[in-house]
Every structure is written in C-alpha cells, then in structure tokens.
Amino acid sequence: MSDKSMTVDEVVGRLRSGMTLGIGGWGSRRKPMALVRALLRSEITDLTVVAYGGPDVGLLAAAGRIRRLVAPFVTLDSVPLEPHYRAARERAAFALTEYDEAMFMWGLHAAANRLPFLPVRAGLGSDVMRVNPELRTVTSPYADGEELVAVPALRLDAALVHLNRADRLGNAQYLGPDPYFDDLFCEAADAAYVSCEQLVETAELAKGGPPQSLLISRHCVTGVVETPNGAHFTSCAPDYGRDEAFQKLYASTPWPEFSARFLSGAGEHDYQQAVRAWQEEQQ
C-alpha cells in the first residue's frame, strides 16, 4: 500500500489556476485552514470555489483568488456573515452561484456518484430558481409526473478537507459532532487532500471512536498532511474549539493589515508563531 503523506506545499504544488476547488468543513468549523494559507502563499488564482463557506472563502475572496463561488452561505457562525467575503461581493469581485443547503449537498452526491444531476424538491417555489436562471427542472417519468429541480453535479478538480486523525494511506477519522460532508467533497473530486491534527497507525484509528467516525477511505484520497492546529482559527472538536478572540480580530481588521501581520510569512510555522505572539500581547 502507498504512503500518501505530503507537506502542505506539496499539496498546493499539485493545484493550478482555474481549477474548481472544493473545501470541506462548515462555516467556521473544521476548515483546512493550513492548506488555504498555503494556497495564499502561491500564485494560484481564478478559482471556482465550492464550499459551505467560512473564513476559507473570506481569505481567498479578500486575496482576489476566486473567479466564482458556489455556496449556500458564507459565515463565521458567531459572526453571521463573513465580513471579508461580504466586502468582496460588494465590489463584485467574483461571480456567485447560491444554492439551498440541500441542493448543494445533492450536487455533491451527484458528482460523487458520477451522475450529471440529481432531481430534488429543494428550491421549488423559492428565489433560488430566480437567482440561478441556469437551473433546469425535469418531469418524473412515472405516473406522478412531478416536476423536480435538476441539481447539476458539483464536480471538483480537487478537494481540501481537515479531520482529526488519519493514517499515511489516506484513511481519515473525525472525532467531533459532525462529519460536515467531507466524505462527499473527497468523492466528488478528481484529487482529494486530507490535512489532519495527527497522523497515526491504521490500527489506532479503530480505537479513536465508533466505526462511523472513520469517515474517509483511502481509495478517494490523493494525499494526507499532518498539520497540528491546522484548522485554526476554526474549531476542530474535540482537539480544540474555535478561537473566538482571534476570529473577532480577523473579522474586524482591514485585510491588508491582517494579511501583513499573519499571512506574510514563508510557511505555516510563521503563521502559528504570529498568532502566539498576538495571544501573548493580550495577556
């Protein structure tokens, strides 16, 4: 079996401008932030980003890396609307395809199953159809003749997700309260990269939680990266909660100032060190 362990920079080295990139997690919860920060250190741009959006989208939007966003929302949870995303939208920095949460999920399901679309009821009778005029409906071929929304597959060139534990083969485990559809992101992508808090031996995964916590199987993973604290400042329960104080700083600081202080270093170590220095200042 193949050792799929990589570094964050090796992952980003496999990405290209113009890709459709799926980012797992939900809002400001268990986002692959170390991989997003590595992406910001690259020259990659013109991305179509597919995400249940949080600060991952905010960072990429503020840095001008997004061409189109496909999302049901972009939130910091405790801050309802991600402010850097909002600022980018207000200046029309990128196009937006906004789906209902269920439509978004079924778009991932369609891609994971290599289907062109899946029929759903979500979106009917709502403004989702008005703001997405490219959406089509289909009629059931059976006796009911029901009209349904044909949600197109959200096919991804690459996916980035963050979980609590993984082995070097690409099997990955979440230990918190919710899988956040990270398995669907990986299955919907041509290449999937998993960052994790800790790399462990395969046998250790079985000891960490119930069988259903073994969310991601190696067959759909291209690379795995050990990145302790790699979801910061989002939560990665039970390893750590959201860094609300730092998130408040992020949300209230002009982008050039935040980027210069926390994102201008040569690597993830510099980011973590800058965060620790700021935390010490608050004591």
Side-chain angles (χ1 to χ4, degrees):
M1 295 185 182
S2 175
D3 183 338
K4 298 178 181 177
S5 57
M6 305 174 69
T7 67
V8 290
D9 291 328
E10 286 172 337
V11 170
V12 172
R14 298 198 178 191
L15 306 179
R16 297 290 181 268
S17 293
M19 277 186 162
T20 297
L21 181 65
I23 305 177
W26 179 284
S28 194
R29 308 176 215 178
R30 214 178 67 226
K31 285 289 183 175
M33 298 297 285
L35 292 174
V36 172
R37 288 187 285 266
L39 187 58
L40 290 176
R41 293 192 297 271
S42 76
E43 298 299 319
I44 293 170
T45 189
D46 197 37
L47 295 169
T48 295
V49 173
V50 178
Y52 288 102
D56 52 332
V57 171
L59 288 169
L60 293 171
R65 306 300 182 91
I66 300 176
R67 178 179 62 83
R68 175 176 292 275
L69 173 67
V70 183
F73 55 75
V74 185
T75 179
L76 297 179
D77 293 318
S78 57
V79 179
L81 183 60
E82 216 284 355
H84 295 294
Y85 155 79
R86 180 183 63 193
R89 278 293 294 159
E90 287 175 347
R91 63 177 184 270
F94 54 83
L96 174 64
T97 299
E98 188 174 11
Y99 286 162
D100 166 273
E101 290 177 20
M103 296 173 71
F104 187 93
M105 177 189 70
W106 286 109
L108 290 175
H109 268 293
N113 288 280
R114 304 303 187 262
L115 296 171
F117 69 91
L118 278 174
V120 300
R121 295 187 179 94
L124 290 171
S126 77
D127 278 347
V128 170
M129 303 300 291
R130 179 183 61 81
V131 300
N132 295 290
E134 71 279 4
L135 284 174
R136 299 290 181 264
T137 59
V138 293
T139 302
S140 168
Y142 298 103
D144 59 275
E146 183 177 358
E147 185 179 49
L148 300 163
V149 179
V151 179
L154 293 176
R155 190 79 185 130
L156 310 173
D157 294 314
L160 308 178
V161 302
H162 186 82
L163 283 90
N164 300 88
R165 312 287 181 263
D167 65 15
R168 295 180 182 277
L169 305 177
N171 301 297
Q173 177 181 50
Y174 77 102
L175 300 176
D178 201 308
Y180 304 134
F181 305 105
D182 285 354
D183 52 337
L184 288 182
F185 278 94
C186 291
E187 292 167 7
D190 292 337
Y193 301 96
V194 177
S195 62
C196 67
E197 292 297 312
Q198 184 181 12
L199 277 175
V200 299
E201 295 299 321
T202 303
E204 291 298 309
L205 294 175
K207 302 176 183 178
Q212 61 266 30
S213 69
L214 298 172
L215 183 66
I216 295 174
S217 176
R218 64 180 184 269
H219 78 273
C220 62
V221 173
T222 308
V224 59
V225 184
E226 185 177 58
T227 56
N229 209 35
H232 184 270
F233 49 94
T234 72
S235 63
C236 188
D239 293 312
Y240 47 86
R242 185 182 305 122
D243 187 341
E244 291 286 2
F246 190 84
Q247 176 167 277
K248 183 177 180 180
L249 174 73
Y250 163 78
S252 60
T253 303
W255 171 251
E257 181 182 338
F258 180 87
S259 178
R261 177 162 187 182
F262 296 104
L263 301 174
S264 60
E268 180 66 10
H269 172 77
D270 294 320
Y271 168 80
Q272 299 288 348
Q273 192 172 48
V275 171
R276 285 192 295 270
W278 177 82
Q279 291 170 336
E280 290 171 0
E281 291 172 7
Q282 310 312 302
Q283 297 176 358

